[in-house]
Amino acid sequence: MEETDKQRPARHLKGAPDANAKSAVEFVTNHNVRSVDVRFTDLFGKLQHFTMSVRDFTEELFDEGVGFDGSSIRGFQSINESDMLLVPDPTTVHLDPFMNDAAVVFCRIEDPLTRERYSRDPRYVAEKCIQYLRSSGVADQAFIGPEPEFFVFNELTYETAPQRAGFCIRSDEAHWQSHDGECGGYTTPAKGGYFPCPPRDKLHLVRQEIVDELEGVGIEVEVHHHEVASAGQCEIDMRFRPLVEMADQVQLFKYIVHNVAADNGMVACFMPKPLSGDNGSGMHIHISLWKDNESLMYDEQGYAGLSDEARYFVGGVLKHAPALLAFCAPTTNSYRRLVPGYEAPINLMYSQRNRSACVRVPMYSKSPKSKRIEFRAPDPTANPYLAFAACVMAGIDGIQNRIEPPKPLDKDLYELPPEEKGLVRQTPGSLRAVLEALAADNDFLTQGDVFTKDLIDIYIKLKLEECDRVDLKPHPEEFAMYADS
């Protein structure tokens, strides 16, 4: 990758340290920015924004908020109740790495008449989840460590028209382009992309640029590497953080990945299964509960070092997994990934070290502080605020009701004999199926008014429309199978 002449703002600047309106305004003033980018996340995980003049970024704004049209955001307001307020959160202010002389602030959403928080604001759902966790007495903090995987393609095009449909992916490292003079050789076979050195790993410098930008806005990165699939599958792991903060970081992570790829003339893609016949992209979620600065997850005598609370937490996640996946694997494409093979975690079991189980207990360290569970079914199309909150709510339900998970299996679950495999529950096979599961099983989410019924209902309604869009379209594979019938 050649260095570009593009000059970016100085890095290594984090948000306002005192986390109040005065320090946020001072931060912006001291760094001589010309504009402030106001951002929030919609119901389905899309980061939205508009840009305002720095002269209007005053301390009063943190009380008064700024208005926007809630009816123009999918899943939010009806047109007759469209006026809504965005109120900046001073703890989130940072400099944007891509917009010259611009600062960024994330916002909470309020009703302008009542000034109540908005029930469909995903960030508010995540905040209420932590409030409920504390009020339950179970724990006072949930730490989250996600592993969002993604592809970086040289080119991605697609078309869906009445008379023609298809997509085209070009990747200089993909095995199908070994004949292409631009690839420079050293292509990666299907399922052959895990940990190769350059020149086969052609994205090392792109990933390092992403890491530099992440660190520049205060996101601590532990490791980055090429993932299993061909055609540029990548993983960059962030150090665990409290739930709401980590959801903020995932949104910023995806923003930075997309923009660094674009700056390099490439396309980042977080779809779970863009390639046929190769591994898909997940977002494994590592979770631990803490109380009084002590982990609740560890017991030396327990299976895989898990405490009773951690085991019950797993029980809750596995019991509610079909409903959880409506938020954690929320696209029709998610169920191209959650199929047998390709290391996809479709078996609703838990196990130590075992990546074929839906819930894995990592065993890298014997430290009680590192003990956690890893839910492997989610993918990076999830809204992180809703997905993380839903997982914790399922775990709380497991602890409160002492839900025992199925006995752990330390075998390769893909290779079980038929009589054993038939006893193992599996993840549902479609988005429509998990939405039906959510409609039938959501009481654990509505405890403490964390997820409201109106949020769940509109989410299911609009996601079912996505199912219809896919179900009603002829598929190219159908032509391959049936055109000559």
Side-chain angles (χ1 to χ4, degrees), residues 259-270:
N259 277 278
V260 170
D263 280 356
N264 285 277
M266 307 178 84
V267 179
C269 180
F270 286 89

Side-chain angles (χ1 to χ4, degrees), residues 7 105 112 132 158 161 254 300 430-431 446:
Q7 297 298 311
V105 64
Y132 176 68
Y158 52 89
K254 294 178 75 172
E300 185 179 6
S430 70
L431 177 59
T446 59

Side-chain angles (χ1 to χ4, degrees), residues 32 179 196 241 249-250 268 290 347 365 462:
N32 298 314
H179 68 285
R241 302 299 302 163
Q249 288 193 1
V250 170
W290 290 62
N347 299 290
S365 172
L462 295 179

Side-chain angles (χ1 to χ4, degrees), residues 344-395:
I346 62 171
N347 299 290
L348 292 175
M349 302 293 296
Y350 82 114
S351 179
Q352 62 182 3
R353 302 174 63 188
N354 191 341
R355 284 173 166 79
S356 64
C358 198
V359 174
R360 183 177 77 101
V361 184
M363 301 297 290
Y364 298 122
S365 172
K366 294 183 180 180
S367 168
K369 293 184 177 181
S370 70
K371 186 56 61 179
R372 60 197 186 274
I373 65 105
E374 177 192 22
F375 185 33
R376 295 176 59 81
D379 68 56
T381 57
N383 182 327
Y385 301 101
L386 301 183
F388 299 164
C391 290
V392 170
M393 293 299 289

Side-chain angles (χ1 to χ4, degrees), residues 9-50:
R11 297 173 178 156
H12 313 300
L13 293 168
K14 300 183 182 181
D18 297 325
N20 59 41
K22 183 175 185 294
S23 62
V25 172
E26 288 176 351
F27 177 87
V28 169
T29 302
N30 292 341
H31 290 98
N32 298 314
V33 304
R34 293 186 299 174
S35 61
V36 176
D37 211 51
V38 178
R39 297 183 187 172
F40 64 98
T41 298
D42 71 15
L43 190 59
F44 304 99
K46 285 286 188 182
L47 195 60
Q48 310 283 348
H49 86 120
F50 64 86

